Amino acid sequence: MTYRITLLPGDGIGPEVTRVARAAIDRAAEISGFKVAFTEHAFGGASIDQYGEPLTEATLAACQSADAIFLGAVGGPKWDNASARPEAGLLALRKELGVYANLRPVSVHPALSDRSPLRPELIEGADLLIVRELTGGIYFGERERGPDWASDKCTYSQGEIERVARIAFETARLRRGKLTSVDKANVLTTSKLWRETVTAMGSREYPDISLDHMYVDAAAMHLIRAPRDFDVVLTENMFGDILSDEASMLPGSIGLLGSASLGDERPGLFEPIHGSAPDIAGQDKANPFGAIESAAQLLESGLGEAKAAQHLRDAVAQMHEAREWTADLGGALTCSQAGIKLLERLDQLPTDQVTPSVKAVAS
Ligand code: IPM
Ligand code: MN
């Protein structure tokens, strides 16, 4: 079995972390006994430079025909005055693929508890999953611009809310059975519909899930004050964007978080939640763990190869225990050195975790 994976390294540190993710997927596949074939395409600013647009027809087609897509990062000041923005390519890709649910897990490995700007006793044991609606809301509403005014429209349909809520409820069932839906229903009409829709679904289809609702401002505060209270957090596109950056400070670096963007069918899109970090681009300083976690999500939810995903996460956990980190976490490793360490640790995983065929070859 050979899976086809389209790589979109993108801009800034995107190519650096994508290189590590690619090697990690490759090695995890080898250990688990399946094959992957990669193709790489320019995307975002890199594609504007080469083709004048952030997402070409050919790149979109390469994404649509893949089994899964891995994306590094897009954007940077270089394209501030370009005819198109790199980010527009990312929004178009998410929309075209129909990946309406963006899953952003946040957990605090014990070794990381002194890396956070928050006190260890507050964050120890925090383990939550943000389910962010990804193809609707203000990101995709009509935009208008006059000489001295501007407008961005925010629209949600009941169907758009239900489909992402279903993913959140189902995921909560596999976790601790708790769902917090975050909105601004005291002000926004889209949020009122959001709350009504989620409440109705909860009592109709998910009575076993403990559902509560929180306003987004209160949720932002609660995330810092008592992060362990959260299990699954369901929210709309822009609130999810903001809350997930905030949540990355629980483990201490935005470089740690990965994400899976899923629709009703393959392919899913997998990307770290961090941006292109132009200030450190090309210096081999980026933290590749967010990309590696995204690679694990690609293997698990994108390809159904849960064991290979577990190998990656086991190797990352070992690196945390040994405090093998990049500079953002106070470590001494470069991005590429962290990638090499990961491969070494993958190779050294206990052989009972490795498939028999590989064990035979190794002995
Ligand atoms: C993210 C990013 C994107 C977003 C940008 C690059 C368009 O911040 O994936 O969180 O806002 O969705
Ligand atoms: Mn973001």
Side-chain angles (χ1 to χ4, degrees):
M1 170 90 207
T2 302
Y3 297 110
R4 286 155 312 138
I5 299 176
T6 294
L7 297 173
L8 307 174
D11 310 318
I13 60 169
E16 299 164 46
V17 299
T18 301
R19 260 194 298 279
V20 173
R22 174 185 181 147
I25 293 170
D26 220 19
R27 189 65 59 91
E30 199 186 324
I31 293 171
S32 289
F34 61 90
K35 288 195 164 50
V36 282
F38 298 97
T39 52
E40 235 176 83
H41 293 265
F43 184 63
S47 176
I48 295 177
D49 289 349
Q50 230 177 310
Y51 307 108
E53 46 179 328
L55 172 63
T56 65
E57 290 281 335
T59 299
L60 177 60
C63 289
Q64 283 165 330
S65 64
D67 293 308
I69 304 154
F70 183 93
L71 168 73
V74 289
K78 181 178 173 195
W79 299 280
D80 276 352
N81 300 308
S83 55
R85 285 202 67 100
E87 290 83 352
L90 179 53
L91 299 192
L93 180 62
R94 289 170 175 171
K95 193 76 168 179
E96 289 289 340
L97 294 171
V99 287
Y100 57 81
N102 180 230
L103 277 55
R104 300 185 161 192
V106 185
S107 62
V108 181
H109 187 280
L112 286 166
S113 59
D114 66 351
R115 301 293 91 189
S116 172
L118 303 167
R119 290 199 307 277
E121 66 268 26
L122 271 180
I123 54 163
E124 268 161 10
D127 181 4
L128 58 109
L129 173 75
I130 297 177
V131 178
R132 169 190 178 193
E133 200 291 325
L134 201 62
T135 54
I138 201 165
Y139 270 61
F140 292 93
E142 190 188 334
R143 299 188 205 295
E144 283 186 279
R145 177 68 207 254
D148 59 353
W149 62 274
S151 142
D152 298 280
K153 199 168 170 189
C154 182
T155 308
Y156 269 111
S157 71
Q158 192 176 313
E160 283 176 305
I161 300 166
E162 277 174 352
R163 63 184 184 177
V164 70
R166 186 167 307 288
I167 297 217
F169 276 116
E170 293 289 339
T171 325
R173 240 178 213 167
L174 302 173
R175 292 175 51 104
R176 303 194 299 278
K178 184 171 180 199
L179 178 62
T180 305
S181 177
V182 171
D183 61 40
K184 189 71 188 173
N186 51 347
V187 176
L188 301 176
T189 140
T190 42
S191 279
K192 281 178 201 141
L193 178 67
W194 187 280
R195 193 174 281 219
E196 278 165 29
T197 305
V198 174
T199 304
M201 262 182 99
S203 50
R204 196 175 62 228
E205 294 176 58
Y206 298 95
D208 52 317
I209 301 297
S210 143
L211 169 68
D212 62 353
H213 302 271
M214 226 181 248
Y215 296 136
V216 63
D217 48 353
M221 182 179 68
H222 208 92
L223 201 50
I224 299 296
R225 192 180 59 190
R228 279 184 295 262
D229 284 356
F230 293 104
D231 179 11
V232 178
V233 175
L234 165 67
T235 192
E236 62 118 89
N237 203 340
M238 189 163 73
F239 298 161
D241 180 45
I242 299 167
L243 291 178
S244 54
D245 270 36
E246 186 192 4
S248 76
M249 286 301 105
L250 302 174
S253 170
I254 194 165
L256 290 166
L257 267 52
S259 87
S261 304
L262 308 172
D264 291 325
E265 283 157 36
R266 274 189 194 173
L269 172 65
F270 301 85
E271 45 173 320
I273 85 153
H274 62 68
S276 60
D279 53 323
I280 58 162
Q283 299 173 38
D284 202 16
K285 281 186 184 164
N287 182 344
F289 283 158
I292 297 164
E293 167 56 25
S294 307
Q297 288 174 288
L298 183 152
L299 292 166
E300 185 176 31
S301 347
L303 305 179
E305 297 286 352
K307 208 172 71 183
Q310 195 52 50
H311 285 159
L312 285 190
R313 293 189 175 119
D314 289 347
V316 167
Q318 287 182 7
M319 288 181 70
H320 285 321
E321 274 144 37
R323 301 176 85 86
E324 290 168 348
W325 291 326
T326 43
D328 54 326
L329 292 169
L333 296 181
T334 63
C335 179
S336 49
Q337 283 168 344
I340 291 165
K341 279 262 184 255
L342 179 89
L343 299 186
E344 286 170 9
R345 292 210 173 264
L346 278 174
D347 288 341
Q348 288 160 11
L349 285 177
T351 41
D352 63 78
Q353 293 182 24
V354 176
T355 50
S357 61
V358 176
K359 257 198 272 183
V361 173
S363 60

